[in-house]
Amino acid sequence: MLLRTAAALLVASAPFQPARAAEVSFERDVLAVLTRAGCNSGACHGNLNGKGGFKLTLKGEDPAADLAALTRDMLARRTDPHHPAESLLLLKGSGKVPHEGGSRFSVNSPEYAALLAWVRGGCRPDLPGGPTLTKLDVTPAAKIVVEPADRFQVSAVAHFSNGTTRDVTPFAAFEFTTVGVAKVTPAGEVVREATGETVLLVRYLSQVAPVRMVFLPDRPVPDMGGMTTSHPIDKLVVAQLRELRVKPADIAPDHVFLRRAYLDTLGVLPTAAETRAFLDGTDPKKREKLIDALLERPEFAEYWAQKWSDLLRNEEKSLDKKGVAAFYRWIAAQLAADRPLNEFARDVLAGTGSTYANPPANFWRAVREPTQRAEAVAQVFLGIRIGCARCHNHPFDRWTSDEYYGFSALFARVDYRFADNTKRDKFDKHEFVGEQYVFQNRDGEVIHPRTQKPARPVFLGAKTPAFGPDADRLTALADWVASPGNPFFARTQVNRIWLHLMGRGLVDPNDDFRATNPPTNPELLDFLAKDFAAGQFRVKRMVRQIMTSRTYQLASTVRDKTTMGDDLHHSHASVMPLEAEQLLDSLAQVTGVPVRFEGHPLGVRANQVPAPPQSGRRGHDGMGQRFLKTFGKPDRLLTCECERNDDPGLLQAFQLITGELMNEMIRTPDNRLGTLLAAGKTDSEMLDEVYLSALCRPPTGTEAKKLLALLASAKDRRAAWEDVLWAVCNSKEFLLRR
């Protein structure tokens, strides 16, 4: 703080002199050079503690402090206006004297010339009221380079508040998101190193612009086949695949589509009877009719309510068992009624009163600090991760610390009254049991740590109304988020729906929208967002829009090498492990053995349990709960899909191969096998039933021949059938959604 105060006095005391056209600007030139050279990066002098006794602010976010560090700190050793070329800033930067960071620019470079001119001119600060950067135009915004071509030129033009423009390519910083695909020269020429795709981030001062680029081998444009449909999603996907010269996969066979559609919409498998009816159907529109039917089933709301419960941190420790159930039922009811998602968001954000009588208010039980609330709301409803701006301006996005604390100020007055907190652990400050009342205080502010003053409430990237002393900040925020004109909401939510149906968001991570993380298909994301808003933000309509596209219905198996290597552009379906709840419910359905969940009647599916009970409590940690935990069901301590873990591990293998729950399901006397055997079914009939129930298809000729021979030779028919059922439930085809 003392350093910044001294720097501010230095700027204020500088004599006023009219700026000359050729004069080097400290903020527009010197700070740009330091950023380009990496001097003020987090790995160098922009580190919290600096490097080698020299500290700069990260990415030049505080010019006054940086000016003081360069011209006054360490007895002004770093800059010498009387002998400019002898300044440590130039000697170390050019590598003339030992420097841990090595040479950052040559003596013949524009960077060296700009720093030399600034030091020679007296290391002057910029005059107050000077032009500020308003926009950075980088061309081209995207580029596809096909062999034998191997390079192209990038240029950056800065626009300033006084209406002037300037080519700042020599002062822009370049950084690739993927190493090894290309390199860039100081002059902005991009040169291929290998075929592949990457993004070049071009930074000048506070602005960052991405350049998407693909380097392709010289290969022919493939036949798009049946992808040339009139569906708007297919048109946009095909246009991109044609540019990338990637051949799309064939359409998925009926049994694969059927299983995929049930898992993606309902989280369960079709019954053997439902599978037979669909596979035997001859209606050319049977897929569209199936999608319509699935969207109206109660399992749709229950399954998608689990997804929103994960995001809204609907967990038992903070909300208690009654609050969790009330919140889950409310979410499911909104989805079942296909309530517009923006109105759903408004209810959650403006939710106050009793957490039992008004379930949306439970969201505020889980996020109890203003900054925690701000980060959660920005991430879930706006697709923005603002956490990095808590300590300094966001290094990869537009958000400043002022905006971070201003947005947090919107939540400063949220408070709670307790009817009675009957928690078991009196020393656990995070556990709450009993009804709570959420309300807004008349006072309460967020103090900005830099200014030590109350932060002024702001909306992110939008005009903010003036808030009076008694203003309802939550309702104002809720109205802004739910407004059809909100620039973030629709894009975030359609990207989330796309992720759940397609396996990867158009922006990935799906809740990290920023200029430095551009969408893989910008035109498609724009269309989906506009279509979502035009359809009144209805989830079922958007799910149907995506599922009826040929893009969604493509097969996951491909023969073309270029298609196999494509993981970004949806040229084929993604293969994904079943989610924990999907897997447990599928096992229970196929084996005919329901799983018991503590506190719920027998027969309740995993996707119907409002939230996982608190682990480690006696009577709560049953086999079903341990299974879900092993397969990645989240504890709901984060407002992020990333908390759900689907990475395979040894514990998962043990659960499926020798696990107590799996053995119980396979060996229960009156399970599916016991029922079929008691009914006098033949081995062939039983095999069809097991395959149709688990894999949504009959066994192939080879599978039937080998398995029926095995069963015929078995001394213990029941034991042999247990082996077959176990093998089917451990097959990749059963464990994966493809």
Side-chain angles (χ1 to χ4, degrees):
M1 179 55 68
L2 290 176
L3 179 62
R4 290 175 177 172
T5 302
L9 291 173
L10 174 67
V11 174
S13 63
F16 175 81
Q17 293 182 6
R20 298 187 300 274
E23 187 175 87
V24 176
S25 161
F26 175 70
E27 295 186 21
R28 297 186 296 279
D29 296 305
V30 174
L31 289 184
V33 168
L34 296 177
T35 300
R36 176 184 174 100
C39 304
N40 55 18
S41 67
C44 199
H45 300 290
N47 185 276
L48 179 64
N49 299 312
K51 288 282 185 179
F54 180 29
K55 183 181 184 311
L56 294 169
T57 60
L58 188 66
K59 306 295 183 184
E61 66 180 42
D62 190 342
D66 290 341
L67 180 68
L70 287 167
T71 61
R72 293 293 182 267
D73 194 20
M74 298 289 291
L75 302 177
R77 292 173 53 199
R78 299 187 178 102
T79 52
D80 186 353
H82 300 291
H83 303 91
E86 300 302 315
S87 300
L88 280 179
L89 177 66
L90 291 164
L91 292 173
K92 288 198 170 187
S94 61
K96 287 187 175 181
V97 299
H99 178 217
E100 186 177 345
S103 175
R104 311 310 300 169
F105 43 75
S106 70
V107 293
N108 298 319
S109 66
E111 300 100 302
Y112 185 93
L115 294 179
L116 180 65
W118 177 69
V119 176
R120 183 177 287 146
C123 302
R124 293 174 179 165
D126 288 357
L127 297 175
T132 57
L133 179 66
T134 58
K135 182 182 178 182
L136 180 65
D137 274 337
V138 176
T139 54
K143 186 72 173 179
I144 296 177
V145 182
V146 182
E147 289 180 334
D150 66 348
R151 63 193 64 207
F152 66 97
Q153 179 67 39
V154 170
S155 64
V157 176
H159 297 250
F160 296 95
S161 57
N162 61 357
T164 62
T165 61
R166 176 186 173 194
D167 184 349
V168 293
T169 308
F171 296 96
F174 301 111
E175 180 183 357
F176 287 103
T177 58
T178 304
V179 178
V181 176
K183 61 183 179 181
V184 61
T185 68
E189 184 179 42
V190 179
V191 182
R192 182 193 69 219
E193 291 187 313
T195 57
E197 185 169 353
T198 188
V199 178
L200 174 66
L201 306 179
V202 183
R203 178 189 295 274
Y204 176 70
L205 300 182
S206 60
Q207 299 277 348
V208 183
V211 179
R212 293 197 67 86
M213 62 188 71
V214 184
F215 292 94
L216 297 177
D218 186 13
R219 62 193 184 208
V221 178
D223 177 19
M224 293 292 111
M227 281 291 286
T228 54
T229 70
S230 60
H231 198 290
I233 290 177
D234 294 337
K235 287 181 178 179
L236 293 167
V237 171
V238 164
Q240 186 176 66
L241 293 180
R242 184 175 284 113
E243 282 188 330
L244 298 173
R245 305 189 181 192
V246 173
K247 180 179 177 60
D250 296 330
I251 197 78
D254 277 350
H255 73 276
V256 172
F257 167 79
L258 175 68
R259 194 171 191 269
R260 182 189 302 173
Y262 266 80
L263 288 170
D264 288 351
T265 55
L266 310 182
V268 299
L269 295 175
T271 64
E274 289 170 333
T275 298
R276 286 192 185 94
F278 183 79
L279 297 183
D280 293 341
T282 58
D283 188 340
K285 293 187 177 181
K286 67 179 183 179
R287 294 194 179 195
E288 289 80 356
K289 291 181 178 179
L290 173 70
I291 293 167
D292 290 337
L294 294 178
L295 293 176
E296 296 307 315
R297 287 179 51 163
E299 296 99 319
F300 175 84
E302 294 165 351
Y303 176 52
W304 286 72
Q306 291 288 350
K307 298 179 183 297
W308 273 99
S309 290
D310 289 349
L311 286 172
L312 299 178
R313 296 179 59 171
N314 188 20
E315 53 91 14
E316 191 176 301
K317 187 172 185 178
S318 296
L319 275 63
D320 78 33
K321 192 171 184 178
K322 185 174 180 179
V324 161
F327 200 12
Y328 171 77
R329 286 195 299 267
W330 179 83
I331 296 172
Q334 308 308 299
L335 292 168
D338 204 16
R339 182 123 183 272
L341 199 58
N342 62 332
E343 294 181 11
F344 169 91
R346 181 190 283 114
D347 286 350
V348 171
L349 295 176
T352 55
S354 166
T355 54
Y356 290 168
N358 185 33
N362 278 288
F363 176 62
W364 301 118
R365 287 186 70 161
V367 284
R368 305 188 75 86
E369 298 294 334
T371 54
Q372 185 185 55
R373 297 170 191 141
E375 293 180 22
V377 170
Q379 192 165 342
V380 173
F381 296 105
L382 305 177
I384 300 171
R385 296 186 179 185
I386 61 171
C388 283
R390 186 171 192 162
C391 301
H392 46 68
N393 292 348
H394 201 303
F396 305 112
D397 208 346
R398 58 189 283 194
W399 312 115
T400 65
S401 291
D402 291 344
E403 289 172 304
Y404 176 90
Y405 288 101
F407 192 63
S408 300
L410 292 167
F411 311 98
R413 298 183 176 182
V414 177
D415 208 344
Y416 314 88
R417 284 196 296 267
F418 302 89
D420 184 27
N421 190 3
T422 58
K423 61 183 180 180
R424 301 183 187 183
D425 187 349
K426 301 298 182 182
F427 297 100
D428 191 340
K429 296 181 180 180
H430 301 286
E431 183 182 2
F432 301 94
V433 179
E435 187 174 18
Q436 293 187 35
Y437 297 87
V438 178
F439 68 99
Q440 293 187 72
N441 270 318
R442 291 179 178 271
D443 55 17
E445 302 292 346
V446 168
I447 303 301
H448 195 305
R450 178 171 57 82
T451 64
Q452 293 301 308
K453 295 180 180 179
R456 182 178 66 85
V458 299
F459 296 156
L460 292 176
K463 184 178 180 180
T464 308
F467 288 103
D470 299 323
D472 185 345
R473 299 180 182 181
L474 284 188
T475 299
L477 170 73
D479 290 341
W480 171 67
V481 169
S483 168
N486 185 288
F488 309 110
F489 182 78
R491 293 168 65 83
T492 299
Q493 304 314 322
V494 295
N495 189 57
R496 178 169 285 124
I497 295 171
W498 185 271
L499 161 74
H500 289 304
L501 293 176
M502 303 297 291
R504 187 186 192 280
L506 294 167
V507 171
D508 184 64
N510 74 293
D511 52 10
D512 192 12
F513 280 68
R514 48 187 163 83
T516 55
N517 185 34
T520 54
N521 193 327
E523 295 79 13
L524 178 56
L525 181 60
D526 289 342
F527 163 75
L528 292 173
K530 291 176 182 176
D531 188 60
F532 191 46
Q536 299 181 325
F537 300 94
R538 296 190 184 275
V539 173
K540 289 184 180 180
R541 180 183 177 277
M542 180 51 59
V543 171
R544 187 185 191 282
Q545 179 80 292
I546 295 172
M547 292 182 67
T548 54
S549 70
R550 189 176 177 91
T551 301
Y552 173 82
Q553 298 179 30
L554 292 175
S556 59
T557 54
V558 292
R559 291 183 294 273
D560 190 280
K561 290 183 178 180
T562 62
T563 311
M564 292 175 63
D566 171 43
D567 294 325
L568 301 177
H569 305 291
H570 306 289
S571 59
H572 57 90
S574 297
V575 177
M576 299 177 287
L578 297 191
E579 296 169 358
E581 300 93 331
Q582 289 176 330
L583 180 57
L584 185 54
D585 285 341
S586 296
L587 285 170
Q589 183 176 331
V590 171
T591 60
V593 179
V595 179
R596 181 177 296 281
F597 294 97
E598 184 70 25
H600 299 277
L602 187 65
V604 167
R605 293 180 288 105
N607 264 321
Q608 293 176 311
V609 178
Q614 294 185 53
S615 60
R617 291 280 171 85
R618 183 174 297 176
H620 284 248
D621 206 13
M623 288 191 293
Q625 172 61 15
R626 290 197 298 272
F627 185 95
L628 293 175
K629 183 71 174 177
T630 299
F631 282 87
K633 185 173 179 68
D635 291 326
R636 297 177 176 172
L637 303 179
L638 303 174
T639 48
C640 180
E641 278 97 349
C642 58
E643 190 182 9
R644 181 177 289 273
N645 181 17
D646 60 5
D647 293 336
L650 201 57
L651 288 178
Q652 293 182 3
F654 287 154
Q655 281 277 3
L656 292 171
I657 296 172
T658 61
E660 184 181 2
L661 182 61
M662 174 66 86
N663 281 326
E664 179 181 289
M665 287 179 161
I666 297 292
R667 293 175 177 173
T668 296
D670 59 348
N671 65 2
R672 182 182 293 271
L673 296 180
T675 302
L676 293 173
L677 289 170
K681 298 292 184 179
T682 66
D683 286 342
S684 180
E685 291 172 329
M686 290 180 63
L687 194 61
D688 273 355
E689 188 76 10
V690 168
Y691 264 72
L692 289 170
S693 299
L695 308 180
C696 297
R697 65 172 177 85
T700 65
T702 302
E703 289 170 335
K705 181 180 179 180
K706 290 185 176 181
L707 290 174
L708 290 175
L710 172 68
L711 292 164
S713 63
K715 295 181 180 180
D716 185 335
R717 188 184 181 201
R718 166 75 195 211
W721 264 111
E722 288 179 358
D723 289 344
V724 171
L725 183 59
W726 177 91
V728 170
C729 291
N730 274 279
S731 67
K732 290 182 179 179
E733 191 173 351
F734 177 78
L735 299 174
L736 300 175
R737 175 271 196 201
R738 61 189 184 92

